[in-house]
């Protein structure tokens, strides 16, 4: 098809015309999807190797999730938490069981789960730990990504995320990721929490050194500090286990979950912790009109049930091994580094060859969607329903653009 017969260029121009330029999307206009594949308005198909930044772990339109959503749409969609609805307890109970915690508090976006965690940790600090009023600090890591609210970007180390959005929320200390000595030095009597991603996704799928996460757990326990694990991107099967922390046998004081929890259908996030922590909240202190709504709870309960089968974790582990083996084979052939776990890889392309953006554009021309992050780094995170041959197809396209 000649270019001026395509619908895509005008649709891209229209999208740019009518919105703020807070994203720089690839020029692909998607109109339908199923499983690991999406189709654009010109009928071209692409293997989705981003999966909505891991919000689509179960693929596009997983039949069980879609059926649940349809059923719930036909019955009840929203009540607000002014009333109880019949999907609420089931969801909280089953997610608590998956997390091994006593309580769950649902919200909508990942950033809201992070905000919940920060508020709960501060209140816990004042009411349980005995930190003097207004003095609570939370230790975070260099290179973190926890969302886009003004408080969260206050402790970002990414100038694009942070600059020109001040004044900033105080009360955060930033330490190098993976450095236990620096973390130990940053903790003092006013520290209420350490907030970390077990694997830093936006930073380029950075896996900390072995022993770091158990070390964080130990330090937090010794110093009476809460370990808040942001598993919004790393959790729910992405790395080959239910949570990325499972690889090192670590349990945090609070899980922060989002993205895949909504099954790629609705935004659902939650924090999960024991009563000793989440029990500090009282009516009127925190909430959200849409948080824990019936549609969200119905879909997310089905997500929890899919995860409870273990099938997706197993697929991620097995197919992840295949993906990493073939990506590692490209080191020296256009790639300079490969990181990650399960079906999640950060790959650094030799910067003398092309930028990450150029790589993504070339991959898209060959039917593979991926997303660059800083410089010449790409993230690959296909849906966990991807087939082995489809992964091989993606790696073949990558090899072609690098050669
Ligand atoms: C680790 C982590 N935390 C929090 C968030 C924020 O989630 P949301 O975009 O749903 O607010 C993200 C989003 O990419 C993330 O990767």
């Amino acid at each position: 098809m000649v270019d001026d017969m395509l619908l895509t260029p005008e649709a891209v121009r229209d999208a740019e015309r009518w919105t703020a330029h807070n994203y720089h999307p690839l020029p692909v206009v998607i109109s339908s999807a199923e499983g690991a594949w999406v189709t654009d308005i010109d009928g071209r198909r692409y293997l989705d190797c981003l999966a909505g930044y891991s919000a689509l772990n179960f693929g596009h339109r997983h039949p069980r999730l879609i059926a649940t959503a349809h059923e719930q749409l036909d019955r009840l969609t929203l009540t607000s938490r002014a009333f109880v609805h019949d999907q609420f307890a089931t969801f909280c109970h089953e997610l608590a069981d998956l997390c091994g915690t006593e309580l769950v508090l649902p919200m909508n976006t990942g950033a809201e789960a992070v905000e919940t965690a920060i508020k709960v940790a501060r209140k816990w600090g004042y009411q349980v730990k005995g930190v003097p009023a207004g003095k609570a600090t939370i230790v975070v890591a260099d290179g973190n990504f926890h969302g886009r609210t003004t408080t969260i970007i206050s402790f970002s180390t990414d100038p694009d995320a942070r600059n020109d959005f001040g004044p900033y929320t105080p009360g955060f200390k930033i330490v190098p990721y993976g450095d236990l000595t620096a973390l130990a030095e940053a903790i003092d009597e006013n520290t209420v929490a350490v907030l970390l991603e077990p694997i830093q996704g936006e930073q380029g799928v950075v896996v900390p050194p072995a022993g770091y996460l158990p070390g964080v757990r130990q330090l937090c326990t010794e110093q009476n500090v809460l370990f808040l694990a942001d598993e919004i991107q790393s959790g729910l099967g992405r790395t080959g286990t239910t949570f990325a922390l499972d690889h090192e046998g670590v349990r945090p004081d609070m899980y922060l979950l989002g993205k895949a929890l909504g099954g790629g259908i609705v935004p659902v996030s939650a924090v999960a912790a024991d009563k000793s922590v989440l029990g500090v909240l009282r009516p009127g202190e925190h909430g959200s009109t849409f948080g824990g709504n019936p549609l969200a709870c119905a879909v997310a309960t089905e997500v929890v049930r899919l995860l409870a089968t273990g099938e997706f974790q197993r697929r991620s582990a097995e197919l992840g091994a295949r993906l990493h083996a073939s990506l590692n084979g490209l080191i020296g052939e256009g790639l300079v580094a490969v990181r990650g776990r399960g079906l999640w890889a950060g790959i650094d392309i030799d910067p003398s060859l092309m930028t990450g953006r150029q790589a993504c554009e070339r991959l898209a021309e060959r039917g593979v969607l991926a997303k660059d992050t800083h410089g010449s780094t790409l993230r690959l995170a296909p849906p966990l329903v991807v087939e082995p041959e489809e992964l091989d197809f993606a790696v073949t396209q990558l090899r072609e653009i690098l050669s």
Side-chain angles (χ1 to χ4, degrees):
M1 208 182 299
V2 286
D3 254 21
D4 58 7
M5 289 173 68
L6 294 174
L7 300 173
T8 295
E10 193 183 341
V12 168
R13 274 196 301 276
D14 260 3
E16 274 184 18
R17 161 71 182 79
W18 291 104
T19 190
H21 290 178
N22 59 330
Y23 279 89
H24 182 33
L26 289 173
V28 174
V29 183
I30 298 165
S31 58
S32 63
E34 190 170 356
W37 292 84
V38 304
T39 305
D40 77 7
I41 53 172
D42 288 304
R44 295 172 294 204
R45 295 180 79 231
Y46 305 83
L47 182 66
D48 184 355
C49 287
L50 179 65
Y53 300 93
S54 291
L56 289 153
N57 279 0
F58 310 98
H60 293 269
R61 300 170 50 246
H62 188 286
R64 271 177 62 179
L65 299 175
I66 292 293
T68 300
H70 276 301
E71 219 172 278
Q72 191 60 40
L73 278 170
D74 284 338
R75 271 196 328 113
L76 176 72
T77 55
L78 188 65
T79 55
S80 88
R81 297 247 349 249
F83 315 107
V84 182
H85 62 77
D86 65 357
Q87 301 297 309
F88 191 77
T90 309
F91 165 61
C92 294
H93 185 169
E94 294 193 22
L95 182 59
D97 281 353
L98 188 80
C99 296
T101 59
E102 292 170 347
L103 299 177
V104 156
L105 172 49
M107 297 294 277
N108 309 285
T109 63
E112 287 171 283
V114 177
E115 291 280 347
T116 305
I118 291 169
K119 284 176 69 178
V120 168
R122 285 178 169 182
K123 186 150 192 220
W124 174 88
Y126 299 128
Q127 299 221 327
V128 179
K129 184 167 174 172
V131 171
K135 298 284 184 211
T137 59
I138 295 178
V139 185
V140 299
D142 190 16
N144 70 72
F145 186 88
H146 298 286
R148 299 289 193 176
T149 65
T150 39
T151 287
I152 294 172
I153 59 93
S154 294
F155 55 85
S156 170
T157 52
D158 174 358
D160 289 341
R162 188 174 194 275
N163 288 358
D164 289 334
F165 298 119
Y168 302 109
T169 307
F172 298 94
K173 282 189 192 171
I174 302 168
V175 295
Y177 188 60
D179 182 341
L180 273 180
T181 311
L183 180 62
E185 281 167 8
I187 293 176
D188 63 23
E189 67 282 6
N190 293 334
T191 307
V192 296
V194 173
L195 167 63
L196 290 177
E197 299 153 85
I199 293 178
Q200 289 189 326
E202 295 298 306
Q203 188 61 12
V205 196
V206 175
V207 182
Y212 175 66
L213 296 166
V216 174
R217 174 66 279 175
Q218 195 184 339
L219 267 177
C220 286
T221 304
E222 285 167 3
Q223 304 289 329
N224 193 25
V225 164
L226 299 178
F227 182 2
L228 313 176
D230 182 343
E231 293 255 17
I232 288 167
Q233 195 165 166
S234 60
L236 307 184
R238 174 50 59 190
T239 66
T241 47
T242 304
F243 303 108
L245 281 181
D246 295 347
H247 288 282
E248 302 218 39
V250 172
R251 284 185 44 77
D253 296 296
M254 186 185 286
Y255 287 107
L256 284 55
L257 303 172
K259 294 196 191 280
L261 195 55
I265 299 176
V266 273
V268 187
S269 68
V271 300
D274 283 342
K275 286 179 191 156
S276 56
V277 177
L278 264 183
V280 299
L281 287 181
R282 294 281 165 267
E285 293 176 350
H286 192 55
S288 152
T289 305
F290 290 93
N293 69 71
L295 181 61
C297 286
V299 170
T301 300
E302 202 57 28
V303 163
V304 172
R305 289 176 185 172
L306 288 178
L307 283 167
T309 66
E311 180 197 335
F312 295 90
Q313 296 89 322
R314 208 163 35 247
R315 286 187 70 86
S316 179
E318 286 168 14
L319 294 172
R322 184 184 184 108
L323 176 68
H324 281 275
S326 40
L327 289 174
N328 278 315
L330 296 179
I331 292 181
E333 312 280 326
L335 292 190
V336 291
V338 176
R339 295 171 298 276
R341 264 202 175 127
L343 273 176
W344 201 18
I347 59 176
D348 297 339
I349 292 175
D350 179 347
S352 68
L353 292 178
M354 66 192 91
T355 64
R357 172 77 186 188
Q358 286 166 336
C360 288
E361 286 168 355
R362 289 173 202 177
L363 282 172
E365 282 164 14
R366 293 172 163 273
V368 175
L369 293 185
K371 182 74 180 83
D372 55 308
T373 176
H374 313 275
S376 46
T377 299
L378 254 62
R379 277 162 302 179
L380 299 175
L384 311 182
V385 296
V386 73
E387 295 295 337
E389 310 73 48
E390 294 170 335
L391 277 183
D392 297 347
F393 165 75
V395 176
T396 303
Q397 303 318 308
L398 180 64
R399 185 181 296 114
E400 294 285 318
I401 67 155
L402 295 174
S403 60

